């Protein structure tokens, strides 16, 4: 087969390949980024589904508008205004097949082969998979406890002034994989940079609902007076990832272009689940479910943090996130977490090696640990197994 050039940059996600090895139920896996099955509102979905079929049966089983059903867009606009201080109108939002689709549509309408995308290091590996198909180059910016180092970003933009930098991708809240949250000062600086150098920001808030300490975390989009920010969010972490429901908010013209691009991809997002989600959001059922999920995950995070403190060797450190689904762990430099993965599988425990999340060759001694999809009573045992193999390597 004579494949297109773009397939050269479309590598199979290392994570998916590695995680195939973890299908064995005796392995305690901190690898995948999945919500707990106990977080799904199964009974609620059952009840709403019946009502949707009674009230909107034919429409729910039919093709629908590419932009998504109006009532769901309205319900999301109302909720974003209340919980995220984001104001937008109906022409500035479309429903997508997961927020993953937004990570495909944005480069689809903005990137020519060879253009530049700014990413955090580390960043969400699924975003890299989506971007890679459009053959971009990357400018990778380091992070510290306040998130992306915006000073470094500005220096690199100045240095690369002749290059077409098309957008800056950030996950400012409980980032995947690092769990770091960007400070308000950095968010403001990032927005200033975006305006000064005319580079849009793609703000991905996938984890902002999973917040365990009642912090007030204003999104960059809420400060965005001049439509510099393309904002995406998802119902995957607070309803169901299987529903594949996300959305994007942005400037009207860009949203129109994205709707046209989406039409060529899937015509429309699943109508039945849009109707279900509409009731879930409009009736405030989401507001009852989210606190339950937060409570469940906070407990799991605490168990994992305690176990790391107890078992992990000196010279390792990890983020102590106030939300999200992950803990990012840095081990002593001599440990290569990709090489160690085989030992971990033998010891019946799994994680994701850090290098998979970095486009700049860093992260080799790091690993991402997911705490939401492991039963409480297995978390300590998993960390104990992991600590043992790390100590053996040291
Ligand atoms: C940061 C981030 N963005 C986007 C997504 C895509 O999620 P979905 O397509 O389920 O909305 C994920 C999935 O884990 C993620 O971690």
């Amino acid at each position: 087969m004579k494949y297109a050039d773009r397939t050269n940059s479309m590598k199979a996600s290392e994570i998916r390949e590695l995680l195939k090895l973890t299908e064995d139920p005796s392995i305690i896996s901190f690898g995948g980024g999945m919500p707990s099955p106990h977080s799904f509102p199964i009974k609620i979905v059952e009840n709403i589904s019946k009502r949707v079929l009674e009230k909107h049966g034919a429409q729910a089983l039919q093709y629908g508008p590419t932009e998504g059903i109006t009532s769901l867009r309205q319900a999301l606009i109302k909720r974003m205004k209340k919980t995220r201080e984001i104001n937008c109108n109906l022409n500035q939002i479309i429903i997508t097949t997961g927020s993953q689709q937004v990570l495909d549509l944005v480069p689809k309408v903005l990137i020519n082969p060879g253009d530049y995308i700014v990413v955090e290091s580390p960043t969400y590996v699924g975003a890299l998979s989506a971007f890679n198909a459009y053959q971009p180059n990357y400018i990778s910016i380091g992070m510290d406890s306040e998130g992306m180092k915006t000073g470094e970003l500005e220096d690199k933009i100045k240095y690369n002034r002749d290059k077409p930098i098309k957008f800056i991708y950030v996950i400012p809240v409980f980032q995947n994989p690092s769990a770091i949250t960007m400070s308000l000062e950095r968010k403001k600086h990032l927005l200033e940079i975006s305006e000064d150098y005319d580079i849009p920001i793609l703000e991905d808030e996938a984890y902002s609902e999973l917040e365990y300490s009642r912090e007030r975390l204003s999104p960059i989009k809420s400060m965005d007076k001049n439509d510099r920010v393309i904002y995406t969010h998802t119902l995957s972490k607070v309803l169901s990832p299987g529903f594949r429901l996300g959305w994007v908010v942005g400037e009207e013209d860009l949203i129109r272009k994205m709707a046209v691009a989406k039409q060529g991809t899937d015509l429309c997002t699943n109508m039945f689940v849009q109707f279900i989600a509409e009731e879930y959001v409009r009736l405030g059922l989401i507001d009852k479910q989210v606190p339950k999920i937060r409570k469940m995950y906070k407990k799991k995070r605490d168990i994992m943090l305690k176990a790391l403190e107890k078992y992990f060797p000196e010279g390792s450190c990890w983020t102590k996130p106030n939300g999200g689904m992950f803990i990012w762990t840095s081990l002593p430099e001599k440990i290569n977490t990709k090489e160690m993965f085989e030992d971990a599988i033998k010891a019946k425990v799994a994680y994701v090696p850090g290098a998979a999340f970095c486009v700049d060759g860093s992260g080799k001694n790091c690993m991402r640990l997911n705490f939401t999809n492991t039963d409480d009573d297995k978390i300590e045992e998993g960390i104990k197994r992991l600590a043992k193999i790390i100590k053996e390597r040291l």
Side-chain angles (χ1 to χ4, degrees):
M1 199 67 77
K2 290 177 184 162
Y3 291 109
D5 292 347
R6 79 179 70 88
T7 60
N8 296 331
S9 52
M10 289 163 57
K11 283 182 287 175
S13 156
E14 232 173 297
I15 299 191
R16 298 231 174 275
E17 294 305 307
L18 293 177
L19 294 180
K20 275 186 203 157
L21 300 171
T22 66
E23 275 164 17
D24 172 354
S26 65
I27 291 178
I28 298 177
S29 178
F30 303 129
M34 292 201 277
S36 164
H38 304 292
S39 74
F40 303 142
I42 295 174
K43 200 73 208 160
I44 292 176
V45 171
E46 187 187 328
N47 291 337
I48 303 179
S49 303
K50 278 194 200 134
R51 276 203 297 276
V52 165
L53 287 171
E54 280 160 20
K55 271 173 36 193
H56 310 281
Q59 217 184 338
L61 301 180
Q62 186 57 281
Y63 290 114
T66 305
E67 292 80 3
I69 60 172
T70 304
S71 54
L72 175 58
R73 284 149 72 213
Q74 279 166 336
L76 291 171
I77 290 173
K78 198 168 161 203
R79 189 155 194 278
M80 271 190 292
K81 189 172 172 156
K82 192 171 123 206
T83 63
R84 309 307 295 145
E85 297 163 58
I86 291 174
N87 291 301
C88 74
N89 66 43
L90 264 181
N91 298 326
Q92 293 174 310
I93 177 170
I94 54 176
I95 307 298
T96 53
T97 302
S99 54
Q100 187 66 28
Q101 185 172 50
V102 178
L103 303 178
D104 179 64
L105 292 177
V106 171
K108 196 170 190 177
V109 300
L110 293 183
I111 296 292
N112 292 315
D115 284 351
Y116 284 74
I117 302 175
V118 174
V119 293
E120 297 165 306
S121 180
T123 189
Y124 169 47
V125 70
L128 296 175
S129 301
F131 300 163
N132 282 344
Y134 300 95
Q135 300 164 278
N137 289 305
Y138 292 103
I139 295 176
S140 161
I141 310 293
M143 300 174 77
D144 60 19
S145 59
E146 287 187 62
M148 179 188 269
K149 294 178 185 167
T150 46
E152 180 183 327
L153 170 67
E154 191 157 16
D155 290 346
K156 285 195 175 163
I157 291 176
K158 280 185 190 153
Y159 184 76
N160 291 290
R161 259 208 152 132
D162 54 326
K163 301 201 173 123
I165 305 176
K166 289 299 191 60
F167 66 90
I168 303 164
Y169 174 61
V170 275
I171 311 155
V173 184
F174 316 131
Q175 200 235 26
N176 177 6
S178 72
I180 292 171
T181 290
M182 198 181 223
S183 67
L184 190 60
E185 287 67 32
R186 291 270 175 90
K187 284 181 178 176
K188 287 181 180 162
H189 190 203
L190 183 58
L191 194 54
E192 264 170 43
I193 293 173
S194 163
E195 300 206 347
D196 291 350
Y197 297 90
D198 193 20
I199 307 171
I201 297 166
L202 172 53
E203 178 178 30
D204 181 344
E205 273 220 318
Y207 297 91
S208 65
E209 299 266 9
L210 306 181
E211 183 261 284
Y212 312 138
S213 67
R214 295 175 180 275
E215 276 175 287
R216 198 173 166 76
L217 302 163
S218 300
I220 307 169
K221 185 70 186 160
S222 69
M223 303 175 245
D224 177 28
K225 303 269 184 299
N226 301 311
D227 265 346
R228 305 302 314 161
V229 180
I230 311 161
Y231 176 87
T232 183
H233 211 310
T234 177
L235 288 172
S236 288
K237 321 295 172 187
V238 288
L239 172 55
S240 152
F243 270 20
R244 310 304 307 122
L245 275 182
W247 68 97
V248 59
V249 173
E251 187 208 354
E252 284 190 23
D253 192 47
L254 173 84
I255 289 294
R256 236 187 334 265
K257 284 241 172 5
M258 286 175 70
V260 174
K262 177 176 162 63
Q263 209 156 35
T265 307
D266 62 1
L267 302 178
C268 67
T269 297
N270 183 322
M271 290 289 284
F272 185 39
V273 297
Q274 284 190 71
F275 277 106
I276 295 173
E278 189 268 330
E279 275 214 18
Y280 185 67
V281 177
R282 181 172 48 81
L283 300 181
L285 301 168
I286 185 172
D287 301 306
K288 295 198 180 110
Q289 188 68 9
V290 168
K292 291 184 199 160
I293 302 174
R294 286 182 183 151
K295 192 169 166 213
M296 187 190 311
Y297 289 176
K298 184 172 188 277
K299 185 170 176 214
K300 289 178 187 293
R301 175 206 61 179
D302 290 344
I303 296 172
M304 186 173 273
L305 285 174
K306 212 164 145 198
L308 285 165
E309 205 64 64
K310 186 165 167 191
Y311 296 106
F312 263 40
E314 217 162 287
S316 7
C317 58
W318 49 88
T319 48
K320 297 174 182 71
N322 284 332
M325 296 179 21
F326 307 105
I327 291 175
W328 179 253
T329 307
S330 304
L331 302 176
E333 290 287 338
K334 67 185 278 200
I335 302 255
N336 179 319
T337 51
K338 195 169 168 195
E339 287 170 7
M340 192 177 73
F341 191 78
E342 219 173 292
D343 295 353
I345 294 298
K346 279 188 201 138
K348 305 257 177 224
V349 62
Y351 57 84
V352 185
F357 304 94
C358 304
V359 291
D360 58 3
S362 62
K364 290 193 173 64
N365 60 325
C366 302
M367 58 169 81
R368 188 192 74 177
L369 301 173
N370 165 267
F371 54 82
T372 58
N373 193 32
T374 305
D375 291 339
D376 293 4
D377 57 352
K378 294 207 176 122
I379 295 176
E380 180 172 352
E381 174 58 27
I383 294 294
K384 197 169 154 187
R385 288 180 196 174
L386 208 44
K388 185 161 179 277
I389 59 161
I390 296 168
K391 285 176 186 158
E392 278 163 13
R393 287 224 155 203
L394 282 173

